[in-house]
Amino acid sequence: MELVGQGSRLDAAALPGLPAHVARPGYDRSALRTGIVHLGLGAFARAHLAAVNDAALRAGAGPDWGVCGVSLRHADTRDALAPQDGLYTLALRDADGGGAPRQHLAVIGCLRETLVAPEQPGAVLERIAAPDTRIVSLTVTEKGYCHDPASGRLDLAHPDIAHDLAHPASPRSVIGFLAYGLQRRRAAGRAPLTVMSLDNLPANGRLLRALVLAFAARVDAALADWIASACAFPCSMVDRIVPRTTDADRHDVAATLGVRDAWPVMAEPYLEWVVEDDFVAGRPDWAAGGARFVADAAPFETLKLRMVNGAHSALAYLSVMAGWATVDEAMAQPGMRRFLSELMRQEIEPTLPPLPGLDLAQYRHGLLQRFANSALRHQTRQIAMDGSQKLPQRLLGTVRDRLAAQAPIPGLALAVAGWLYFLRGSDQAGRAYEIQDPMAEALADRRARADEAARRAGEGPAAMLAWAGAMTGLEPVFGDLGQAPRFVQALAQAAQSLRSLGVAGTLSAGYPPPPG
């Protein structure tokens, strides 16, 4: 990472000299104690959880809710933020009514400490076990749960899980850190705490609880019983678009601040956080930052996963194939906006649970506007990562509900076909890209087998049907959908259209077709 800009660096001493329009912590940072340990200190956590927590502190939440951030893989965040006293800039970006970009800058101050798990596994475990810690939260993406995406079961053969069961003092996985940290906490006679997932997974709290209990049961049955009876795992839904920060972003932020910030984070102004109010050791009043506390987050989770994440993934895979680099560029293409709107209206919305007071048409319109935000420059390749972990909850759950209702699925099939074609590793113009997915080798092997099945089947529809049948035989992703003829047939038809017409041609041809 190369620092950009000239002059001094953002730190506590620089705060008084920042421009007046830049928001900054309005509380005594020196009085903060670490009440929250956050695993997975990426851009999303710093633009969402930390921003909301900072708002709660500014509103008077008290000093108990400082944050210790834990990077689970790399030291770059720690190395960037340590010289800055844990401070960084959140830049909220959108465009005004005339299309001109605008931004609001705020310096976030609630991050007290940053640990790097591979370097300091013992320190991470001790932080989880510490008396002041009352919440452990996590944003580790879908692949960080070391589970089978189709079944939701802990993958005991996962290299990190196998390592952690054999090395309790130096775990690698988030599941291992949680189980062994809670084990130390129980052994010290300390109070239970709340473990809170902020990842895009259905019933994320219940899934996380099941995975931690499955791991803990192999360590100590009494530990598993204590976790099950004493700790809380609330479910939540989070929503904010957070693109990857670029060097250009760092230059822009530095020019506005007048000092260098090595690790700013960009986001849209929109933020939603719905979380079940189930905390065994207290919590900040995150409502001050826009959070909503509910008894059951499941309907909101389904709304987010299927409408926001499902549509985002559909856009991303088709766009990478077409060579559209950013989400706003894709939304400007003839056919894409119509496709996403009709996909949501015709196929996704009928599967959603009741959400009293929600105007789905207005929600859909607002979501399309968010995607078209030209100030974010959100890379489609970033969204396209780790598809094997994302598709089961973003698209395939909707497919199952539509099949059960005997309803058509042409738009959903096109979205899934987009992912399968994305796995070729090159776009329609022949430009190569890397497949970043924890199942990359298995996916490459499956594609080779599917291509061979298509070759043996001959040409035309029979070949595409054989190809689709072979691809959907990948059970860790598709489960039993490979045995659903309507799904395989729809997928084959969509794949044939992409093959013969390309992405733009397929969208122009009217996917999904009007209901008839």
Side-chain angles (χ1 to χ4, degrees), residues 51-67:
V52 174
N53 195 61
D54 220 58
L57 290 170
R58 292 196 305 272
D64 294 342
W65 300 109
V67 178

Side-chain angles (χ1 to χ4, degrees), residues 93-157:
R93 293 180 168 179
D94 64 356
D96 63 21
R102 59 188 178 185
Q103 71 176 359
H104 173 264
L105 301 186
V107 175
I108 305 301
C110 62
L111 189 64
R112 294 190 68 247
E113 179 185 24
T114 303
L115 300 177
V116 180
E119 297 178 10
Q120 307 157 283
V124 176
L125 294 172
E126 285 303 311
R127 271 294 177 212
I128 295 173
D132 285 343
T133 301
R134 296 154 74 180
I135 295 171
V136 178
S137 54
L138 54 151
T139 48
V140 295
T141 76
E142 297 89 343
K143 65 183 177 183
Y145 286 71
C146 300
H147 73 308
D148 180 276
S151 69
R153 291 189 294 268
L154 182 66
D155 182 4
L156 294 171

Side-chain angles (χ1 to χ4, degrees), residues 44-421:
F44 183 83
R46 294 189 294 123
H48 195 282
L49 170 72
V52 174
N53 195 61
D54 220 58
L57 290 170
R58 292 196 305 272
D64 294 342
W65 300 109
V67 178
C68 170
V70 178
S71 295
L72 293 169
R73 290 289 181 264
H74 305 293
D76 48 3
T77 297
R78 188 268 318 276
D79 293 347
L81 295 182
Q84 299 184 180
D85 301 321
L87 298 170
Y88 64 91
T89 311
L90 171 62
L92 301 182
R93 293 180 168 179
D94 64 356
D96 63 21
R102 59 188 178 185
Q103 71 176 359
H104 173 264
L105 301 186
V107 175
I108 305 301
C110 62
L111 189 64
R112 294 190 68 247
E113 179 185 24
T114 303
L115 300 177
V116 180
E119 297 178 10
Q120 307 157 283
V124 176
L125 294 172
E126 285 303 311
R127 271 294 177 212
I128 295 173
D132 285 343
T133 301
R134 296 154 74 180
I135 295 171
V136 178
S137 54
L138 54 151
T139 48
V140 295
T141 76
E142 297 89 343
K143 65 183 177 183
Y145 286 71
C146 300
H147 73 308
D148 180 276
S151 69
R153 291 189 294 268
L154 182 66
D155 182 4
L156 294 171
H158 191 288
D160 288 350
I161 297 297
H163 170 275
D164 292 357
L165 287 170
H167 301 89
S170 56
R172 294 175 180 167
S173 74
V174 68
I175 304 300
F177 274 111
L178 288 171
Y180 291 127
L182 291 171
Q183 183 183 45
R184 293 192 183 197
R185 191 173 190 89
R186 175 173 175 265
R190 292 169 186 157
L193 48 66
T194 299
V195 183
M196 181 177 62
S197 169
L198 303 178
D199 283 303
N200 291 317
L201 291 159
N204 52 16
R206 286 187 285 278
L207 172 66
L208 179 59
R209 180 180 187 272
L211 297 175
V212 172
L213 290 178
F215 187 99
R218 290 182 168 261
V219 174
D220 178 359
L223 170 65
D225 290 343
W226 180 78
I227 295 172
S229 63
C231 295
F233 291 78
C235 295
S236 68
M237 180 272 272
V238 295
D239 191 4
R240 171 169 264 180
I241 296 172
V242 182
R244 183 177 288 114
T245 301
T246 66
D247 282 344
D249 295 326
R250 281 185 276 271
H251 276 291
D252 179 73
V253 168
T256 303
L257 292 180
V259 294
R260 295 178 299 158
D261 181 351
W263 221 237
V265 62
M266 313 296 119
E268 64 174 336
Y270 181 93
L271 179 145
E272 189 165 16
W273 184 11
V274 179
V275 58
E276 291 174 352
D277 201 0
D278 180 19
F279 293 79
V280 298
R283 59 166 174 79
D285 181 14
W286 287 319
R292 185 182 348 171
F293 294 98
V294 299
D296 180 12
F300 301 93
E301 289 176 344
T302 303
L303 172 73
K304 164 69 185 331
L305 285 167
R306 295 189 176 189
M307 291 285 278
V308 182
N309 298 124
H312 230 183
S313 287
L315 177 149
Y317 295 118
L318 294 170
S319 297
V320 172
M321 289 303 303
W324 303 328
T326 63
V327 173
D328 61 295
E329 179 186 357
M331 290 296 292
Q333 303 301 319
M336 177 58 82
R337 189 182 184 104
R338 189 205 70 86
F339 165 67
L340 292 179
S341 181
E342 291 306 300
L343 172 67
M344 290 188 279
R345 186 179 68 84
Q346 293 185 34
E347 300 182 35
I348 298 177
E349 289 176 18
T351 73
L352 298 177
L355 281 161
L358 179 68
D359 184 330
L360 275 175
Q362 185 179 31
Y363 184 89
R364 180 189 342 120
H365 177 69
L367 180 56
L368 294 172
Q369 288 185 310
R370 291 171 60 197
F371 286 176
N373 184 347
S374 59
L376 289 179
R377 306 295 294 166
H378 197 183
Q379 299 292 310
T380 53
R381 288 267 303 277
Q382 180 186 356
I383 303 165
M385 293 169 56
D386 304 331
S388 69
Q389 312 299 298
K390 295 175 177 176
L391 257 69
Q393 57 270 2
R394 295 188 176 195
L395 292 168
L396 300 184
T398 315
V399 168
R400 285 189 169 85
D401 285 354
R402 295 286 288 176
L403 292 177
Q406 298 298 309
I409 55 168
L412 290 163
L414 181 62
V416 177
W419 177 58
L420 297 179
Y421 263 82

